[in-house]
Amino acid sequence: VARGAALAPQRSRGGGGSVTGSAAGGSEGETRLIPQSLLKKYIQYARANCRPALRGGTFDQEKIASLYVQLRKESTSSGGVPIAVRHIESIMRMAEAHAKMHLRDYVRDDDMDASISMMLESFITAQKFSVRRSLRRSFAKYMSSGEDRVHLLLHILQDMMRNEAMYQTVKRQQQGRNADDLPEVLEVPLDEFEGRARDRRIYDVAEFCRG
């Protein structure tokens, strides 16, 4: 929660905001900690008012089914903790708790990813030390990676910047100006960038924009 309070999206003063093709340097601000009294009120409000719903279209159900099958297979072959339906139910409950912590009305893909990561970390550390490394490799595709999200967001932003550069080139040609004389800084709308990120099930781009 403390991290979330410090990572508010940065928008321009004029309105919706934009993402620019060059970043100005600056000192990184300190993380603002939430006072304990406010944190208690936050938790009380979340408990009393938030009932996140599990909707089929908001998270990957096939991913959960595939994870269950592989968990059963690995637990049987490694002779470790047996996996039952209740473990999948635990993943659902943890995803709901994660969504409730963010005051959401429904469970999103990132809530489910956080829940799966916690479940897999618990499962892997409960196994014999000799098989932990192979298990981490086997379940790597299920464990959310911040680095993967950064690469995907960077790809989206580069594509938007290329389209903007092409638009500016055509615009200058139509105006009879030198097509190579592009502006030093290209800007794309922040809300469009956020929308394209949401299409890829990435709901928070604030930390990426700060970086």
Side-chain angles (χ1 to χ4, degrees):
V1 176
R3 283 181 54 206
L7 296 180
Q10 298 179 355
R11 301 177 183 269
S12 65
R13 297 177 182 176
S18 61
V19 181
T20 63
S22 64
S27 60
E28 185 177 353
E30 296 181 357
T31 300
R32 293 182 288 115
L33 298 179
I34 296 178
Q36 188 173 6
S37 59
L38 178 59
L39 182 58
K40 288 181 179 179
K41 292 179 181 179
Y42 185 95
I43 295 173
Q44 290 171 354
Y45 178 86
R47 285 178 174 175
N49 297 279
C50 292
R51 299 288 185 273
L54 286 166
R55 299 178 182 174
T58 60
F59 64 93
D60 191 347
Q61 297 182 63
E62 292 184 3
K63 181 178 182 180
I64 303 298
S66 176
L67 172 65
Y68 176 66
V69 171
Q70 190 164 350
L71 277 170
R72 294 267 298 184
K73 177 182 176 182
E74 294 292 345
S75 65
T76 301
S77 60
S78 63
V81 179
I83 297 298
V85 177
R86 67 177 183 274
H87 290 91
I88 299 302
E89 292 174 349
S90 298
I91 291 177
M92 300 297 184
R93 299 292 83 78
M94 287 191 293
E96 289 176 342
H98 192 270
K100 179 180 288 190
M101 185 177 69
H102 290 82
L103 307 181
R104 287 197 269 269
D105 294 328
Y106 57 90
V107 175
R108 301 191 317 199
D109 232 14
D110 50 348
D111 298 317
M112 199 61 70
D113 286 343
S115 178
I116 289 173
S117 294
M118 286 186 284
M119 179 66 180
L120 287 177
E121 188 65 30
S122 175
F123 172 74
I124 292 172
T125 54
Q127 308 304 315
K128 298 176 182 177
F129 182 80
S130 57
V131 299
R132 288 181 188 175
R133 181 175 296 181
S134 62
L135 286 175
R136 289 191 185 278
R137 286 197 299 266
S138 299
F139 290 107
K141 63 180 179 180
Y142 297 103
M143 303 180 77
S144 58
S145 169
E147 185 177 352
D148 292 341
R149 286 190 172 90
V150 167
H151 286 310
L152 183 54
L153 288 172
L154 185 60
H155 173 75
I156 293 172
L157 184 58
Q158 288 174 338
D159 184 56
M160 293 179 67
M161 288 295 180
R162 281 194 296 268
N163 292 338
E164 179 64 20
M166 186 179 301
Y167 167 75
Q168 293 292 341
T169 300
V170 173
K171 181 179 177 181
R172 277 161 173 70
Q173 288 176 342
Q174 292 176 345
Q175 294 174 346
R177 298 163 62 184
N178 185 359
D180 295 328
D181 186 21
L182 292 175
E184 293 183 2
V185 176
L186 294 174
E187 295 185 351
V188 294
L190 179 58
D191 54 353
E192 181 182 346
F193 178 55
E194 290 174 333
R196 294 186 61 174
R198 281 194 297 271
D199 292 341
R200 300 294 187 93
R201 297 182 183 272
I202 299 176
Y203 301 96
D204 185 5
V205 300
E207 190 169 3
F208 174 82
C209 292
R210 287 181 61 194

